[in-house]
């Protein structure tokens, strides 16, 4: 609710200010700081001040009129990507089908692979196609291609004497969205997740059993 939105803003702002002094990180940090405040502003406008739009599909009660926003968000976090007992495609498909019931004119999914690269799929179905089935099928196909490419790169590194074990024990997360095209017709360009930054490498400090170490990792921002 409103309290959670404010807490999120404070935590994100405090964390980002710790790294704001680095010039090359200022633009992505400002974007990450502004995003939760915009979300909080929307929460205050709709939940506290009751500023609901007057156009569209209205539902009235004895006390108020309000609009139903039909876009849906879903996601999944795996503690370890090595856990093969989880049916990732099936679970994402059921989630997408559930949220698409609120309006499924388009959908999108994004995830981060073990090497730090991202895979994103956005899908606009034909008139009689299933948005959930089509989205998950395309997404799974892109992940398979990305994993095959990663295997080829690891094989090349082994021949180059720089072989490293894949980090398949890392957490894995998946973020998805189904879109109800309220402001424009359904299109891939207007469908979340939107890519807000180009792929770039930044220095990240991580903690290992032997102590802290600096790692250069891929950074991308999706909304």
């Amino acid at each position: 609710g409103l309290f959670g939105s404010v807490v999120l803003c404070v935590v994100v702002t405090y964390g980002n200010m710790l790294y704001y002094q680095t010039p090359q990180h200022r633009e992505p940090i400002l974007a990450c700081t502004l995003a939760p405040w915009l979300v909080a502003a929307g929460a205050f406008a709709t939940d506290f001040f009751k500023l609901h739009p007057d156009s569209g599909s209205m539902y009235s009660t004895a006390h108020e009129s309000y609009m139903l926003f039909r876009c849906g968000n879903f996601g999944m976090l795996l503690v370890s990507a090595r856990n093969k007992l989880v049916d990732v495609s099936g679970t994402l498909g059921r989630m997408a089908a559930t949220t698409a019931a609120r309006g499924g004119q388009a959908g999108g999914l994004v995830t981060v692979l073990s090497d730090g690269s991202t895979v994103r799929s956005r899908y606009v179905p034909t008139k009689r196609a299933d948005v959930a089935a089509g989205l998950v099928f395309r997404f799974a196909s892109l992940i398979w291609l990305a994993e095959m490419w990663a295997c080829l790169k690891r094989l090349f590194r082994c021949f180059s004497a720089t072989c490293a074990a894949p980090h398949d024990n890392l957490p894995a997360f998946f973020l998805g969205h189904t879109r109800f095209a309220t402001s424009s017709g359904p299109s891939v360009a207007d469908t979340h997740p939107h890519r807000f930054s180009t792929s770039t490498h930044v220095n990240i400090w991580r903690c290992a059993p032997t102590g802290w170490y600096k790692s250069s990792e891929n950074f991308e921002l999706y909304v």
Side-chain angles (χ1 to χ4, degrees):
L2 297 179
F3 178 74
S5 298
V6 174
V7 171
L8 176 63
C9 291
V10 173
V11 172
V12 171
T13 302
Y14 175 75
N16 288 340
M17 290 302 296
L18 297 178
Y19 299 95
Y20 184 74
Q21 303 302 325
T22 308
Q24 63 268 29
H25 297 164
R26 287 182 178 176
E27 289 187 4
I29 286 177
L30 286 174
C32 292
T33 304
L34 180 61
W37 285 105
L38 291 176
V39 173
F44 270 99
T46 56
D47 298 353
F48 186 76
F49 295 109
K50 307 299 182 182
L51 299 179
H52 298 286
D54 294 328
S55 60
S57 191
M58 301 296 294
Y59 290 79
S60 299
T61 65
H63 303 286
E64 62 178 350
S65 296
Y66 58 92
M67 171 173 285
L68 293 180
F69 297 93
R70 295 183 174 87
C71 289
N73 297 303
F74 60 96
M76 178 170 61
L77 173 66
L78 298 180
V79 175
S80 175
R82 186 180 293 171
N83 186 358
K84 304 301 182 183
L85 298 178
V86 178
D87 180 11
V88 175
S89 296
T91 304
L92 290 175
R94 290 189 291 273
M95 288 181 175
T98 300
T99 57
R102 304 173 65 190
Q105 297 181 350
L109 275 163
V110 66
T111 188
V112 179
L113 302 181
S114 59
D115 62 354
S117 61
T118 59
V119 172
R120 176 183 61 161
S121 176
R122 295 182 293 176
Y123 174 61
V124 177
T126 57
K127 183 177 181 179
R128 301 187 185 279
D130 187 308
V131 62
L135 172 61
V136 172
F137 175 78
R138 290 171 179 242
F139 186 63
S141 300
L142 289 176
I143 291 180
W144 183 84
L145 291 174
E147 290 179 342
M148 292 300 101
W149 176 243
C151 288
L152 290 176
K153 290 193 293 185
R154 285 197 298 267
L155 184 62
F156 176 77
R157 293 193 188 101
C158 288
F159 283 115
S160 304
T162 58
C163 184
H167 302 292
D168 58 353
N169 61 328
L170 296 176
F173 75 94
F174 305 86
L175 298 177
H177 181 84
T178 54
R179 178 172 185 265
F180 185 83
T182 53
S183 58
S184 62
S187 67
V188 171
D190 291 333
T191 301
H192 293 278
H194 294 299
R195 187 178 182 181
F196 268 39
S197 70
T198 58
S199 176
T200 182
H201 277 77
V202 298
N203 291 326
I204 302 294
W205 285 93
R206 295 195 177 277
C207 185
T210 56
W212 289 90
Y213 67 96
K214 184 169 68 172
S215 173
S216 178
E217 301 181 15
N218 182 61
F219 173 84
E220 294 179 57
L221 179 62
Y222 287 90
V223 175

